[in-house]
Amino acid sequence: MTTLDNHRRPPMPQVSRVIVLKNYLLLLTFTTGEVKLYDASWVLSHPMTTKLKDLTFFNKTHVSHGTVVWSKQLDLGPDDLYENSVAVKDEKGEELVAV
């Protein structure tokens, strides 16, 4: 007999740290220790995110409740951040993990 609990997806890692880089790139550290790079430039074309075109505003991002936020109305969900970011690798090609 199977239950729904057996088919639940494990919870998505949450963001624990964000560093803003050039060209709307975000360097993210997740609760798993994974370090990933996220290109946030795609959000600039959305009508609700025009504030983010202002680099001074964009650079004020921070982590709140496991995700990246700029204000109460502007955030990116941790699922999107995790699934659409790429692992950062060292010179040996190994994925970086924060300690």
Side-chain angles (χ1 to χ4, degrees):
M1 177 181 245
T2 61
T3 64
L4 290 177
D5 288 339
N6 292 339
H7 300 289
R8 285 193 183 155
R9 194 170 80 170
M12 190 63 63
Q14 303 289 298
V15 177
S16 59
R17 183 175 183 203
V18 60
I19 298 172
V20 178
L21 304 175
K22 290 183 179 182
N23 300 321
Y24 300 97
L25 294 175
L26 301 174
L27 184 63
L28 305 170
T29 303
F30 289 89
T31 52
T32 58
E34 295 169 274
V35 179
K36 298 178 90 175
L37 192 61
Y38 183 84
D39 183 354
S41 63
W42 71 270
V43 300
L44 303 177
S45 62
H46 194 282
M48 301 226 9
T49 60
T50 56
K51 283 185 181 180
L52 294 178
K53 290 180 182 178
D54 176 0
L55 283 174
T56 302
F57 183 78
F58 185 85
N59 291 337
K60 291 182 181 178
T61 190
H62 60 281
V63 175
S64 179
H65 302 289
T67 196
V68 172
V69 299
W70 287 271
S71 67
K72 288 182 181 180
Q73 294 84 23
L74 258 159
D75 62 63
L76 295 172
D79 291 0
D80 176 58
L81 292 167
Y82 187 79
E83 292 173 354
N84 295 304
S85 57
V86 294
V88 176
K89 298 182 179 188
D90 65 14
E91 64 278 351
K92 296 178 186 175
E94 296 178 14
E95 292 183 11
L96 290 181
V97 177
V99 288

